[in-house]
Amino acid sequence: MTKTEMEAKMREACHRGVALFEDAPCYPVEPLVRLFHLGRDFGKQTDEAVMEGMLEEYRSILQTIRPIEKAPERIYLWPEGKMPKNTDYTDNSDYKYNHDPDFKPYLYEMLVPEEVEPKGAVVLCAGGDHGDASFHEAFQSCRDLNDLGYQCFLLLNRTHRCPWSKQECGADAARAIRMIRANAAKYRISSDRVSFAGFSNGGVTGEACIRYYSGKQRVKDHFPEYEPDWLDAYKGAPDSFLCIYGPRWATEEFDYTGVVYPPTFFAVGRDDTAMDNLNHTYPDLAAHGVELEVHTFAGVPHGKAGVKLVGEEGYDNFHLWLPLGDAFMQDVYRKAEAKRRDDMQGKTE
């Protein structure tokens, strides 16, 4: 087998592996960690014998891995034939994207034990084109936020520019938030304690959700052929936004027309190129009256959320975004509750 043939077969194998990483709640962690390293390290190899061995090991894991007992089920976001769309996407035979044209966005519930009183809910969306980034960024961060007392929801949405539009990726995020609010009693949370955590490109998804579906904006405003259903009565934008190394591009303009931007938390490594984007986005949001909290972390490059899952060490300071984000969300919720009490008292006086 030539090197070119092995590279083509590895692309095909990694494409098959995407669903395993994105369905991480359903599988044992150890083989997924091994798949992660095989996929990431294969392209660094020059020895063809080593490459062939890595390919065969990857394929073997794909064939032998089995779901855990009582594996959770996907929760699809849209009824059949009802998903709003505006991207013409029909072919992925070259595996350019992680998701094929028939991809259907979905959620996984990752919930705290029944004996734990939840602090709220967080929807988590990985960066890039998801795939193995979903494993450490979203799946591991769900587990970490579970430990802090949050009901978590792993979102596998249509990814921005891979190949879908901001309106589409934002609509999936808004739909997920509406589903959680509608089931607040089931999840033992207040319906106004639903936050969104987006990593890198997932942060773009979070802002797209706010840009197109906050305030009085409707899905139908952006997709005229969309048929609203009962879930559209619920608020689609999050109550707070955790943007983890995912601020909008420094060159990008943002239209605030009709937008109700929630309190926002930023966490970015100081060695991350996203610092340039943060330096642009922060003053723009502040000028529009958005409540903000910003944390930067020395020596940390891009994409390091949850990397302890795959054995990567040396970024312990960045893990602090989790308790800091927890404190931020709880402060946002306390202030919102105090405002509601004051408003109610004002109406009775």
Side-chain angles (χ1 to χ4, degrees), residues 167-230:
Q167 290 90 340
E168 289 166 310
C169 70
D172 292 344
R175 183 75 175 185
I177 290 169
R178 291 185 170 110
M179 292 174 74
I180 295 163
R181 292 196 200 281
N183 288 282
K186 169 187 172 183
Y187 297 128
R188 301 182 290 123
I189 61 166
S190 171
S191 63
D192 52 10
R193 287 190 168 207
V194 182
S195 295
F196 187 95
F199 304 83
S200 192
N201 199 24
V204 175
T205 290
E207 187 169 73
C209 175
I210 295 162
R211 165 62 185 87
Y212 297 108
Y213 306 106
S214 65
K216 296 181 179 179
Q217 298 181 92
R218 306 170 303 162
V219 176
K220 196 170 180 65
D221 295 337
H222 309 290
F223 300 92
E225 296 181 359
Y226 173 72
E227 298 177 9
D229 63 17
W230 66 279

Side-chain angles (χ1 to χ4, degrees), residues 146-166:
N146 282 160
D147 290 342
L148 291 171
Y150 291 90
Q151 306 284 39
C152 291
F153 300 85
L154 179 60
L155 174 62
L156 285 311
N157 67 306
R158 289 171 288 178
T159 44
H160 170 241
R161 296 180 68 180
C162 298
W164 291 285
S165 68
K166 285 187 177 180

Side-chain angles (χ1 to χ4, degrees), residues 3 27 67 96 123 128 137 145 163 172 177 284 337 342 349:
K3 181 179 179 181
Y27 292 97
K96 180 179 180 180
V123 179
E137 286 182 336
L145 286 167
D172 292 344
I177 290 169
D284 185 55
E337 288 172 2
D342 291 346
E349 291 177 350

Side-chain angles (χ1 to χ4, degrees), residues 145 150 242 265 293 320-330:
L145 286 167
Y150 291 90
L242 281 67
F265 171 98
E293 182 169 330
L320 292 172
W321 80 265
L322 290 154
L324 291 168
D326 173 25
F328 172 80
M329 288 186 283
Q330 292 307 302

